[in-house]
């Protein structure tokens, strides 16, 4: 290939269904899809898109995204799902943006700490987790972050910059990154490095994930990968803690991984004080179907791709829920899912 080949030509797959890059299994064929694995490739893509006047959309594992049925032909979709690295640098864990949050739970388990248990089976990558300050029960991503590294897309140099977690304006599902054209590329964790064995295990896990864990964006595939690793660690003397067993019981009980989905569709309104899923249940909307989509019979805040659903089917059911909640309870629920 010519040395003068542009980054878009060099790194992009062509005519690729976005449904393969979302746990919703929804999305039409995109003209350009890139999977950069290094900072250099990522910045080269942004520079080339700027020069060509091509719009881009950057995302991680696609676990919180509804892609369109007919994507823009000029849009360059940049997936960070192979942008995965775990290393110890200056005595701290550095984790790149495309690394699954669930991998952090294995880091904790292999290091003998429960600080990271809440990330177990959170189906998304660290970059997205920082962007939305992902949480489960009482644990949230901001609790374990020391420094975040990012690219400021408004800067001509596109150089990597850093910001301490205390300056990230973290709140419920909120961060400073939602208000600036910044792309998160990784973070130092505030969790201590435990042992050389832990480092070796985590280093060996990354190529295994890239090889068999992260493509396509399939929830059953994701579930089986991390469950298998927990079982393997148990066989090596790292007993599975009750907190992880509770996550397995909850997510399997709610059938989180039976059908393609993006988890909770709406944020909870803490001012109102009742979970959105409970409100949907009070409205008797669980089990409502439209096209190939259905409001989960097991969890009122999940809309499932039951049978080759389109984005339009999901949006229809979202509108039904929104209008019903506003009419009955007096507020408009805010989507948690990102509508591309």
């Amino acid at each position: 290939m010519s040395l003068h080949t542009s980054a878009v030509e060099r790194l992009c797959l062509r005519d690729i269904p976005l449904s393969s890059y979302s746990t919703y299994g929804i999305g039409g064929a995109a003209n350009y899809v890139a999977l950069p694995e290094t900072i250099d490739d990522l910045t080269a893509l942004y520079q080339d898109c700027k020069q060509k006047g091509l719009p881009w959309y950057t995302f991680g594992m696609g676990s919180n995204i509804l892609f369109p049925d007919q994507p823009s032909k000029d849009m360059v979709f940049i997936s960070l799902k192979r942008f995965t690295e775990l290393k110890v640098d200056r005595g701290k864990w550095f984790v790149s943006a495309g690394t699954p949050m669930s991998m952090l739970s294995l880091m904790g388990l292999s290091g003998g700490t429960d600080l990271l248990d809440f990330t177990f089976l959170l189906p998304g990558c660290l970059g997205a987790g920082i962007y939305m300050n992902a949480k489960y029960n009482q644990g949230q991503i901001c609790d374990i972050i020391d420094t975040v590294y990012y690219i400021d897309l408004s800067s001509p140099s596109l150089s990597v910059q850093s910001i301490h977690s205390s300056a990230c304006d973290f709140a419920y599902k909120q961060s400073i990154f939602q208000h600036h054209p910044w792309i998160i590329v990784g973070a130092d964790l505030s969790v201590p490095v435990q042992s050389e064995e832990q480092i070796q295990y985590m280093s060996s896990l990354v190529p295994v994930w890239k090889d068999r864990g992260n493509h396509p964006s399939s929830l059953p595939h994701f579930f089986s990968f991390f469950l298998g690793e927990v079982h393997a660690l148990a066989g090596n003397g790292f007993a599975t803690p009750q907190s992880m067993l509770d996550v397995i019981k909850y997510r399997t009980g709610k059938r989180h991984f039976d059908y393609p989905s993006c988890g909770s569709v709406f944020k909870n309104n803490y001012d109102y004080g009742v979970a959105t899923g409970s409100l949907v249940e009070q409205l008797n909307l669980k089990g409502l179907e439209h096209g190939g989509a259905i409001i989960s019979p097991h969890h009122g805040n999940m809309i499932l791709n039951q049978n080759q659903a389109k984005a339009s089917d999901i949006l229809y059911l979202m509108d039904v829920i929104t209008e019903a909640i506003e009419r009955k309870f007096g507020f408009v629920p805010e989507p948690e899912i990102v509508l591309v």
Side-chain angles (χ1 to χ4, degrees):
M1 186 173 286
S2 168
L3 292 176
H4 301 292
T5 302
S6 76
V8 169
E9 292 172 316
R10 177 169 59 90
L11 295 169
C12 285
L13 305 171
R14 303 299 299 271
D15 195 31
I16 299 296
L18 290 172
S19 56
S20 298
Y21 292 87
S22 167
T23 57
Y24 240 141
I26 292 173
N31 206 14
Y32 306 99
V33 174
L35 289 94
E37 297 192 44
T38 66
I39 288 279
D40 288 344
D41 280 346
L42 183 60
T43 53
L45 274 168
Y46 291 140
Q47 293 281 24
D48 198 20
C49 285
K50 284 187 174 185
Q51 290 172 3
K52 288 180 165 62
L54 293 172
W56 65 78
Y57 186 80
T58 308
F59 63 100
M61 288 172 59
S63 62
N64 200 42
I65 287 179
L66 182 62
F67 285 124
D69 295 322
Q70 296 180 308
S72 165
K73 291 299 180 184
D74 291 334
M75 182 74 72
V76 178
F77 290 89
I78 302 174
S79 168
L80 300 184
K81 65 189 298 183
R82 295 190 67 82
F83 196 76
T84 306
E85 184 181 22
L86 275 156
K87 65 181 182 181
V88 174
D89 186 24
R90 302 184 305 277
K92 292 182 178 178
W93 282 109
F94 170 82
V95 184
S96 62
T99 305
M101 286 184 285
S102 294
M103 207 172 278
L104 302 183
S105 66
L106 302 180
M107 176 192 292
L109 184 55
S110 62
T113 176
D114 61 1
L115 293 173
L116 301 166
D117 287 2
F118 76 95
T119 66
F120 182 53
L121 296 184
L122 278 179
C125 65
L126 181 65
I130 293 171
Y131 179 86
M132 68 177 297
N133 192 23
K135 73 185 295 287
Y136 182 78
N137 287 342
Q138 300 306 309
Q140 50 188 350
I141 288 295
C142 66
D143 297 337
I144 61 170
I145 298 298
D146 179 275
T147 302
V148 181
Y149 300 93
Y150 65 95
I151 296 173
D152 183 350
L153 295 176
S154 66
S155 167
S157 68
L158 296 180
S159 58
V160 176
Q161 303 183 43
S162 65
I163 183 171
H164 192 265
S165 62
S166 60
C168 289
D169 296 343
F170 285 121
Y172 172 64
K173 302 292 176 73
Q174 295 288 323
S175 77
I176 195 173
F177 303 99
Q178 297 171 12
H179 308 290
H180 295 277
W182 299 347
I183 296 295
I184 297 163
V185 295
D188 292 333
L189 303 188
S190 58
V191 178
V193 179
Q194 299 292 338
S195 66
E196 186 61 37
E197 290 76 19
Q198 181 195 35
I199 296 172
Q200 291 175 0
Y201 168 68
M202 296 310 299
S203 297
S204 69
L205 194 60
V206 170
V208 176
W209 167 253
K210 284 188 176 185
D211 181 52
R212 63 182 175 88
N214 79 342
H215 190 78
S217 292
S218 157
L219 287 174
H221 207 98
F222 164 87
F223 179 58
S224 64
F225 179 88
F226 285 101
L227 196 63
E229 287 299 322
V230 165
H231 287 162
L233 282 169
N236 287 322
F238 297 94
T240 308
Q242 187 60 46
S243 55
M244 287 190 179
L245 296 174
D246 290 343
V247 170
I248 295 169
K249 182 179 179 181
Y250 173 76
R251 295 202 181 276
T252 54
K254 295 290 186 180
R255 312 284 182 89
H256 280 194
F257 304 119
D258 286 12
Y259 289 98
S261 82
C262 277
S264 295
V265 175
F266 296 99
K267 296 179 182 179
N268 290 324
N269 182 342
Y270 283 107
D271 290 335
Y272 192 81
V274 178
T276 302
S278 297
L279 300 181
V280 173
E281 185 169 1
Q282 290 178 42
L283 291 163
N284 295 314
L285 292 176
K286 287 167 66 173
L288 180 66
E289 300 181 44
H290 181 81
I294 181 173
I295 299 174
S296 172
H298 307 284
H299 192 306
N301 199 13
M302 291 177 66
I303 301 176
L304 311 178
N305 177 0
Q306 181 178 236
N307 183 23
Q308 298 181 318
K310 301 291 188 183
S312 55
D313 298 332
I314 305 295
L315 292 170
Y316 176 89
L317 290 176
M318 287 181 67
D319 286 343
V320 169
I321 291 172
T322 298
E323 291 169 9
I325 287 179
E326 183 179 19
R327 189 166 55 246
K328 176 75 172 178
F329 302 108
F331 72 91
V332 175
E334 182 183 353
E336 180 169 322
I337 188 173
V338 176
L339 308 176
V340 180

